[in-house]
Amino acid sequence: MECDMQLGTATSDGVLIGRNPDEDIIFSHLKDDTRELLDAETENVQKEKRKKKKLKTKGKKKKPQPTTASCSDSLLAGQPFANTEIRKEFGISTAQKSLKKKRKRTLGAESEDDAGKKKKKPQRPNYFVSIPITNPKIVRGIEAIQDVIIQKDHRFSKAMIPAGTLHVTLLVTYLGNEEVSMAVCAMTEMKDTLLDILQKTELVLPFHGIGHFRSEVAFVQMAEGEHVTTLTKIAETLKKRFEEKGILVTDSKAFKPHLTFMKLSKAPKLRSQGIKKLDPKLYENFEHHKFGEERVARLDLCSMQKKKQPNGYYHCETSIDFGEKHVAEPDDAELVSLSKRLVENAVLKAVQQYLEETQLNKHRHADVSPSKTEENLNDNEHRK
């Protein structure tokens, strides 16, 4: 419209008079040519700009978009308080610093509010209640199976449980300095309760066969029977009494009595050597072996970290002894029969000794000279 108005003529009254038809044709051709030229030039300019952009993007990484903090810093740069010292003096801070402070404050508020709600992580166990293995037959059997495994692969020697520390675990827990005395008190108080569970009978634990946990821990199995029920009841009583004292029992797994003799966690270097599981062939000859019976005489509260005793067993804070006291007292008939057996054994032993001495004297009289016979007689008289 502006081009058409400029090319037209105006009268003295200000009225715009249009061009003649010939002029319109000429001007239309001119407009088309100029448009084509302008379009071509704009296309060329746009192409060159695209090429330049491509070259720039290939050689350079994309610049991060300016954040609110950087924008504010750039704006402040031209102001008289752009210096950091002046900012501090007038209490002016950037948006980024204020955001960090806000975050710290919110985090601190959350930690203070939720401090009571968050649960403490359970500490690593350092104490346990156990039944020590004192039967030499069981100890010899376990030493035999350990020797066989080591002969097959000597690298397993560090994974073995020492014979002096063999035990059946009833409870595992963490005890601080103050909690140790609490645990000792708990065990002392529950002695009568444990005697009631035993009902004045002897608790005998038979061990038979081999088992494992995830092929990482090998143990001698405890044969099934009423003794397992009694032992489970004792373990549950211990756990309940400890929890009543405020002591957290860390072992949440179902109670399964066993006698561990080997575990890979004692030798962590085996994993780097490619040994992650125990091959059942290592102990296949003992899968049905009867190791013997353990007559329970006491329960021990043992420390995992304190120095062991001279005999190799763990340091004991306290023990519950009920080996002889829980056996039923014999009646009069049993006492009489027992005394008879003792007398008979003594008589038989004396008779056997007399017969041996007489036979020896006969051989001496037959083989020695008269002078030696006199010496023997004198010796006999002296003995009398």
Side-chain angles (χ1 to χ4, degrees):
M1 290 295 291
E2 290 178 1
C3 293
D4 293 339
M5 288 175 68
Q6 289 175 3
L7 292 171
T9 56
T11 61
S12 58
D13 296 331
V15 179
L16 184 64
I17 299 172
R19 297 184 296 272
N20 58 31
D22 294 331
E23 290 176 345
D24 290 336
I25 292 167
I26 292 167
F27 283 118
S28 64
H29 284 297
L30 287 170
K31 285 169 72 177
D32 293 338
D33 292 338
T34 53
R35 283 176 183 171
E36 287 178 0
L37 288 169
L38 287 169
D39 291 340
E41 286 179 1
T42 53
E43 285 180 5
N44 291 330
V45 170
Q46 287 177 357
K47 285 180 181 179
E48 288 178 2
K49 286 181 178 180
R50 288 172 186 168
K51 287 180 180 179
K52 288 179 180 179
K53 284 182 179 179
K54 286 181 181 179
L55 291 171
K56 287 180 180 180
T57 52
K58 285 180 181 179
K60 296 181 180 180
K61 294 181 180 179
K62 291 183 180 180
K63 293 182 179 181
Q65 294 182 355
T67 58
T68 56
S70 60
C71 290
S72 62
D73 289 338
S74 60
L75 290 170
L76 289 170
Q79 301 299 326
F81 47 79
N83 193 355
T84 54
E85 293 180 359
I86 299 172
R87 289 179 185 177
K88 289 178 182 179
E89 184 178 351
F90 288 94
I92 300 166
S93 60
T94 60
Q96 190 174 1
K97 289 181 179 179
S98 61
L99 284 170
K100 285 182 179 179
K101 287 180 181 179
K102 285 180 181 178
R103 285 174 186 169
K104 286 180 180 178
R105 285 172 186 171
T106 53
L107 287 170
E110 287 176 4
S111 62
E112 287 174 4
D113 295 337
D114 301 336
K117 296 180 182 178
K118 289 182 180 179
K119 294 182 179 179
K120 293 181 179 179
K121 290 183 180 180
Q123 297 284 346
R124 189 174 181 179
N126 59 351
Y127 278 87
F128 62 95
V129 179
S130 66
I131 298 171
I133 300 301
T134 58
N135 186 350
K137 182 181 178 182
I138 299 174
V139 175
R140 286 195 300 268
I142 289 176
E143 287 177 335
I145 188 174
Q146 289 176 337
D147 290 340
V148 169
I149 293 172
I150 292 170
Q151 286 175 6
K152 291 181 179 180
D153 193 336
H154 68 279
R155 293 178 294 177
F156 288 115
S157 59
K158 293 184 179 180
M160 299 300 173
I161 304 296
T165 62
L166 293 171
H167 63 276
V168 177
T169 304
L170 300 179
L171 179 146
V172 179
T173 185
Y174 171 81
L175 299 177
N177 294 329
E178 296 179 357
E179 292 173 330
V180 172
S181 58
M182 293 166 60
V184 171
C185 182
M187 289 192 67
T188 305
E189 291 174 355
M190 72 176 71
K191 182 175 181 178
D192 293 336
T193 305
L194 296 180
L195 290 174
D196 292 337
I197 293 172
L198 293 174
Q199 295 180 352
K200 295 182 179 181
T201 58
E202 193 175 23
L203 181 59
V204 180
L205 308 177
F207 292 96
H208 175 71
I210 304 295
H212 66 86
F213 292 131
R214 295 177 298 180
S215 296
E216 296 176 359
V217 177
F219 57 86
V220 176
Q221 292 181 332
M222 189 178 293
E224 295 294 332
E226 190 65 26
H227 55 274
V228 177
T229 305
T230 304
L231 202 60
T232 303
K233 196 171 182 179
I234 290 173
E236 290 174 353
T237 304
L238 285 165
K239 182 179 179 180
K240 184 179 178 181
R241 186 60 61 87
F242 272 46
E243 289 176 348
E244 288 175 354
K245 292 283 185 181
I247 299 170
L248 180 64
V249 178
T250 56
D251 192 2
S252 58
K253 297 178 182 178
F255 177 68
K256 183 179 180 180
H258 60 279
L259 180 53
T260 303
F261 66 87
M262 177 184 183
K263 53 184 178 181
L264 292 179
S265 60
K266 283 183 64 64
K269 290 184 179 179
L270 292 175
R271 183 173 287 274
S272 62
Q273 295 173 5
I275 301 174
K276 299 179 181 179
K277 300 290 181 181
L278 293 173
D279 189 352
K281 291 181 180 179
L282 292 169
Y283 46 79
E284 59 184 353
N285 295 332
F286 293 85
E287 288 183 353
H288 304 289
H289 181 73
K290 292 183 178 180
F291 288 86
E293 297 178 343
E294 178 66 32
R295 300 180 183 277
V296 180
R298 73 176 196 269
L299 303 182
D300 296 329
L301 176 63
C302 300
S303 171
M304 299 180 188
Q305 298 174 350
K306 292 184 179 181
K307 188 178 179 180
K308 293 179 181 177
Q309 299 179 31
N311 61 359
Y313 194 64
Y314 295 95
H315 171 83
C316 293
E317 297 290 346
T318 187
S319 299
I320 300 177
D321 295 316
F322 44 77
E324 296 177 358
K325 295 180 181 179
H326 69 277
V327 179
E329 294 182 359
D331 55 13
D332 294 338
E334 288 180 349
L335 289 172
V336 171
S337 62
L338 180 62
S339 60
K340 284 182 178 179
R341 285 198 300 272
L342 291 172
V343 171
E344 289 173 357
N345 290 334
V347 171
L348 289 172
K349 196 172 183 180
V351 171
Q352 188 176 3
Q353 186 176 359
Y354 174 76
L355 292 173
E356 289 176 355
E357 287 181 355
T358 53
Q359 287 179 357
L360 184 63
N361 290 332
K362 285 181 181 179
H363 288 295
R364 285 177 179 176
H365 284 296
D367 297 336
V368 298
S369 60
S371 59
K372 289 184 178 181
T373 305
E374 291 177 1
E375 290 177 4
N376 291 331
L377 289 171
N378 292 329
D379 290 338
N380 290 332
E381 288 177 358
H382 182 69
R383 286 177 184 176
K384 291 178 182 179

